[in-house]
Amino acid sequence: MSLVRDFYVPGHSWLHQLDPRVKLWGVTVGVLAAFALPGWGPQVALLLGMHLLLRSAGISWGVLRAIWRQMALLVIIILLLQPFFSPDGAAIVAWGPLQWTWGGIHAAVVLALRALAIAFISGGLLLTTSPPALVRALVRLGLPYHWGFTISLTLRFLPTIHALFLAVRDAQAARGWVTEGHLWRRLRGYLPVLVAVVVNTLRMSDQLTLALAARGLGADSRRTTWRDLRMRRLDWGVLALLTLAGGVIVVGWWGRL
Amino acid sequence: MIHVEALRFAYPALAGGLSSGDLWPPLSFTVAAGEALAVMGASDSGKSTLCHILAGLAPRYTDGEVGGRVRVAGHDVLGARPPLRTVGVLFQDAAMQLFNASVETEVAWGLEALGLVPDAIDARVAEALARFGLRGLAKRSPGALSGGQQKRLALASVWAMRPRVWLLDEPLGGLDPQGRREVLAALDTLRQGGTTLLLTTLRPQAAQMAPRALLLHPPATSHHATAALLDAESALVEAGVHYPPRFWPALTGPTREAPAVTLEGVAFRYAAGQSPVLHDINLRIPQGQFVALVGANGAGKSTLARLLNGLLRPERGTVRVMGEPTAEQAVGALARRVGFLFQRPEQQIFGTTVREEIAYGPRQLRLPEVERRVAAALERFALDAVADVPPAVLGYGRRRAVTLAALSALDTPILVLDEPTVGLDGRGWAQLLAWLRARRAAGVTLILITHEMALAACADRVVALEAGRVVADGPPDAVLPGIDAGALA
């Protein structure tokens, strides 16, 4: 449930301190590179580069391994199935119309590397940016404050609702709630748990409405921002580099078309 | 500062035909600048609603129908939402009032809404954190704070906005003794500042802050000098607010030799690599005994209790219930023997009607005579009138009664209650103790986790836990005096 919160690895590295707007731009350029650059070489370079970058930001090997583990299933599926969809050249193995070709395998490897590169590029943002900072960046980039605030509220209350779910489940187990049996029986067993969770979530949201109004949500005065994002010299430098790289990729891509 | 004239309020009629008339007879009172008024009343007597009305939140953001005149700091709050700085509210459930990612951004949030410039916010945040003893916690997540710290943070967030009038809804609600001490100290500093405030409470400790008191005892209301009201006690007991120990029934019962529960060398940790929560616990509780389990927050009391109904299994050692190891029994099977009341039980209700809610356990466990059990539980907890109403629409006091009724219908030989008195009004205490008296007389084994020393003193035996170990075990007279109430809470 707390997947989004668990991503963030608190720290004070240069990448942590980089303006989240610049990091968002970095993800955009990185994903563009992953899609625009041909062949497996650039993908491997991106992947290696991201590993070095994240290590330099103090992200442990354990965390990087966890991303590999998360991606493992997707990678295997791509490697097994993608060759069928992009046959190219002579068949190595064939089952009727389905065939594996060297060209197809090559395409699958590139695709798998691309998926991994994108995962690690996104990781560069999510691992080093706290959810509130990310929301602040989105709001500064034009997302309406209320939308951003809604995302923050959701992040804040997900663990609360998760804890509530566990508490209700335990309480009902203690009253003879059955978790054994076939799937339908188990699913039906979860119904009371969900009812209690939904009822309480609604009750919480009623209270939250009052608390927000009491503290000034929707008040007439104009909101200020306490710790606004400020671009520093490093931020401008990284922004310029990223933009340059993005420009080169786009120009090269046009050239190939 | 607060002028209330002939105020009336009614919630819309509930499903199930339960009529909901006016909460009180027309209510009139005044709180002058710098004055404090305590509003006392049982659960569901409309204390929170009164706060919400005065803050201009009800019925603006809730259901209900209002009449009369209310002026707060010169603003007609029923007519238009008062300007932001008029009223500051401390809500009953502090956790719901905290919605930011860190303690400092929580305090800053309201100041941003006021439109203060960042430098001014810096100064006010620092001042508020210092005043409420939160400086060391500035970067922490509000969700990770203790109950007392959460209330202090809520107070700091409101205080930073400098409201002209304070409304405190049950400021000590849901807190253990340590939390109550922390919050009382914080409120003292508030009073010394000469703020105008209205507080609602069940707790004499909190009411003492205000020289005057308004007692809500539907269908009547009355004005009192707080000291006289607290001294006499009888009016508070009658109104179901308070239930002092001298009224309590004796919780005695027959004890047998055979053990209800035994723990042998029990150790437990929540995950490999984490430090153990319990170390080498050895405990033998004979059938029919009343054991109070005491200790500071985090001492392992709730964990120990969860080992008894099989929700947790020991990492080492053996837990036996009625002679059989729990490791070999399903939680569902253990539920026939161990009745368990969790913390915040009112959140665990899901039935479509009160009757269904109570019948759920006996049906799941295929117990005989479900109808009779349900009828008896409804009667004992005075729920007959709402038997066919969805429990979700009932007030807090009634929902708590429903959770006890549901437990009582299981009729288990062992009861484990985890802080059953937190948040209960006098009426709730009286119901709980009357039921426990009857269960004890019938020979039920009672294991009760509590921070209330007066309740622990009623037990046959007190077991004190500290950092996952039993540090004292004996009759209350022997154990309780040795326990520092401060360390305990």
Side-chain angles (χ1 to χ4, degrees):
Chain A
M1 291 284 284
S2 54
L3 193 67
V4 187
R5 290 166 68 86
D6 289 348
F7 256 125
Y8 176 54
V9 182
H12 297 283
S13 74
W14 69 273
L15 195 55
H16 281 87
Q17 287 174 17
L18 200 63
D19 191 297
R21 288 169 295 182
V22 176
K23 284 190 263 189
L24 274 168
W25 181 232
V27 171
T28 313
V29 172
V31 171
L32 184 74
F35 275 110
L37 298 177
W40 58 271
Q43 308 296 341
V44 170
L46 275 175
L47 206 48
L48 275 175
M50 281 315 296
H51 277 72
L52 290 175
L53 194 73
L54 287 169
R55 285 294 297 148
S56 81
I59 304 296
S60 68
W61 284 115
V63 174
L64 298 180
R65 262 201 304 276
I67 300 182
W68 278 99
R69 264 200 304 276
Q70 293 279 331
M71 292 297 293
L73 184 65
L74 182 67
V75 167
I76 290 169
I77 290 174
I78 291 176
L79 289 178
L80 287 179
L81 297 186
Q82 180 62 27
F84 294 132
F85 296 108
S86 50
D88 182 11
I92 308 168
V93 198
W95 295 274
L98 298 177
Q99 47 180 278
W100 269 10
T101 61
W102 282 117
I105 289 171
H106 179 256
V109 169
V110 172
L111 190 65
L113 285 170
R114 183 172 288 150
L116 283 166
I118 291 171
F120 278 89
I121 288 165
S122 316
L125 174 70
L126 295 176
L127 292 170
T128 64
T129 315
S130 71
L134 195 55
V135 172
R136 215 178 313 151
L138 292 171
V139 170
R140 285 289 270 125
L141 289 171
L143 188 76
Y145 176 79
H146 281 83
W147 294 25
F149 186 61
T150 307
I151 299 173
S152 304
L153 277 184
T154 311
L155 292 175
R156 156 75 180 80
F157 282 99
L158 270 181
T160 308
I161 294 169
H162 187 221
L164 180 67
F165 174 81
L166 296 179
V168 172
R169 201 189 55 185
D170 282 359
Q172 292 183 4
R175 283 168 69 189
W177 176 53
V178 188
T179 43
E180 294 95 22
H182 53 78
L183 186 68
W184 175 238
R185 192 173 146 84
R186 269 183 296 167
L187 281 180
R188 244 190 6 196
Y190 265 102
L191 200 62
V193 180
L194 291 178
V195 168
V197 169
V198 168
V199 165
N200 281 289
T201 308
L202 291 175
R203 205 181 281 278
M204 286 192 319
S205 82
D206 279 352
Q207 291 178 29
L208 193 60
T209 306
L210 298 184
L212 288 169
R215 289 263 293 286
L217 189 74
D220 300 331
S221 57
R222 206 176 156 73
R223 271 195 85 87
T224 47
T225 307
W226 180 32
R227 286 184 181 159
D228 205 358
L229 296 171
R230 262 195 212 102
M231 295 284 285
R232 293 161 309 152
R233 204 174 299 164
L234 178 68
D235 296 318
W236 286 115
V238 174
L239 182 69
L241 270 176
L242 283 168
T243 310
L244 190 69
V248 169
I249 291 165
V250 170
V251 169
W253 194 40
W254 272 110
R256 279 204 313 281
L257 281 180
Chain B
M1 287 291 254
I2 305 178
H3 295 278
V4 174
E5 255 181 74
L7 174 66
R8 45 165 294 274
F9 189 89
Y11 280 107
L14 297 178
L18 189 71
S19 76
S20 54
D22 283 5
L23 276 174
W24 334 275
L27 206 54
S28 298
F29 62 89
T30 303
V31 184
E35 242 195 345
L37 175 71
V39 177
M40 301 190 80
S43 295
D44 313 337
S45 65
K47 301 193 298 293
S48 298
T49 307
L50 180 61
C51 282
H52 298 164
I53 295 170
L54 295 180
L57 300 171
R60 193 157 289 124
Y61 300 105
T62 65
D63 291 331
E65 206 186 300
V66 74
R69 283 165 51 82
V70 179
R71 294 187 75 79
V72 178
H75 297 279
D76 170 16
V77 298
L78 298 182
R81 189 173 152 180
L84 251 191
R85 259 181 257 242
T86 316
V87 195
V89 195
L90 179 74
F91 290 87
Q92 190 165 358
D93 188 350
M96 281 302 113
Q97 193 172 359
L98 307 173
F99 40 76
N100 285 279
S102 70
V103 166
E104 56 179 6
T105 53
E106 190 66 56
V107 178
W109 195 87
L111 303 173
E112 292 175 328
L114 285 177
L116 264 58
V117 295
D119 285 346
I121 296 179
D122 266 336
R124 286 229 195 152
V125 169
E127 199 185 354
L129 293 184
R131 184 167 182 130
F132 291 92
L134 297 165
R135 229 180 325 198
L137 306 171
K139 306 283 179 198
R140 291 272 290 277
S141 159
L145 302 180
S146 72
Q149 289 168 339
Q150 286 184 338
K151 287 259 176 178
R152 273 153 53 207
L153 174 55
L155 279 169
S157 315
V158 178
W159 184 79
M161 295 175 76
R162 307 283 189 271
R164 299 179 64 191
V165 174
W166 278 80
L167 304 171
L168 311 172
D169 190 10
E170 198 61 75
L172 304 184
L175 296 178
D176 58 30
Q178 166 68 19
R180 291 206 291 266
R181 269 195 301 279
E182 287 174 26
V183 173
L184 274 174
L187 292 178
D188 252 357
T189 71
L190 206 64
R191 264 309 272 154
Q192 282 158 12
T195 41
T196 310
L197 67 85
L198 179 145
L199 73 128
T200 74
T201 189
L202 290 164
R203 293 256 168 199
Q205 283 168 295
Q208 277 164 354
M209 283 177 60
R212 288 191 303 123
L214 168 66
L215 179 64
L216 303 177
H217 183 192
T221 62
S222 51
H223 292 272
H224 304 264
T226 308
L229 181 68
L230 298 183
D231 275 349
E233 274 187 347
S234 57
L236 290 177
V237 174
E238 230 171 90
V241 175
H242 185 46
Y243 192 57
R246 65 189 169 90
F247 292 93
W248 294 1
L251 300 176
T252 51
T255 309
R256 268 174 290 172
E257 189 42 45
V261 171
T262 48
L263 290 91
E264 290 156 14
V266 168
F268 183 82
R269 73 180 83 206
Y270 277 94
Q274 281 182 11
S275 50
V277 183
L278 296 173
H279 312 260
D280 192 31
I281 304 276
N282 291 290
L283 213 54
R284 182 180 182 281
I285 299 175
Q287 290 177 19
Q289 197 170 53
F290 172 10
V291 179
L293 204 55
V294 302
N297 287 327
K301 306 187 298 296
S302 294
T303 304
L304 179 57
R306 278 161 187 254
L307 287 165
L308 300 181
N309 67 353
L311 274 176
L312 301 175
R313 312 282 164 154
E315 185 186 2
R316 272 188 289 114
T318 317
V319 178
R320 284 195 171 82
V321 171
M322 302 304 254
E324 291 174 40
T326 58
E328 290 156 23
Q329 298 176 66
V331 183
L334 273 163
R336 292 165 184 270
R337 295 186 160 153
V338 185
F340 201 104
L341 187 75
F342 290 81
Q343 291 181 31
R344 305 210 64 169
E346 74 282 359
Q347 293 189 333
Q348 293 140 23
I349 293 175
F350 56 88
T352 48
T353 64
V354 169
R355 195 187 299 280
E356 285 299 308
E357 179 73 30
I358 297 171
Y360 175 82
R363 277 203 198 119
Q364 284 290 318
L365 297 176
R366 300 205 163 72
L367 300 178
E369 299 180 83
V370 175
E371 297 296 312
R372 185 197 56 78
R373 287 166 189 269
V374 173
L378 285 170
E379 193 192 337
R380 168 164 285 286
F381 292 95
L383 293 166
D384 279 312
V386 292
D388 298 308
V389 168
V393 304
L394 297 177
Y396 178 83
R398 282 251 183 75
R399 277 185 286 140
R400 287 292 297 261
V402 170
T403 63
L404 286 178
L407 186 58
S408 81
L410 292 173
D411 218 352
T412 50
I414 301 171
L415 282 173
V416 181
L417 310 183
D418 194 350
E419 304 204 34
T421 61
V422 170
L424 283 188
D425 62 359
R427 204 173 291 146
W429 270 86
Q431 270 183 350
L432 173 71
L433 294 186
W435 174 57
L436 291 182
R437 196 189 73 83
R439 300 310 298 145
R440 275 228 76 195
V444 161
T445 310
L446 178 57
I447 300 167
L448 200 139
I449 297 176
T450 188
H451 285 292
E452 300 288 344
M453 290 304 109
L455 189 54
C458 299
D460 299 329
R461 173 180 173 192
V462 177
V463 174
L465 284 183
E466 198 180 297
R469 294 175 204 278
V470 174
V471 290
D473 183 353
D477 298 349
V479 175
L480 291 178
I483 292 174
D484 169 25
L488 226 173

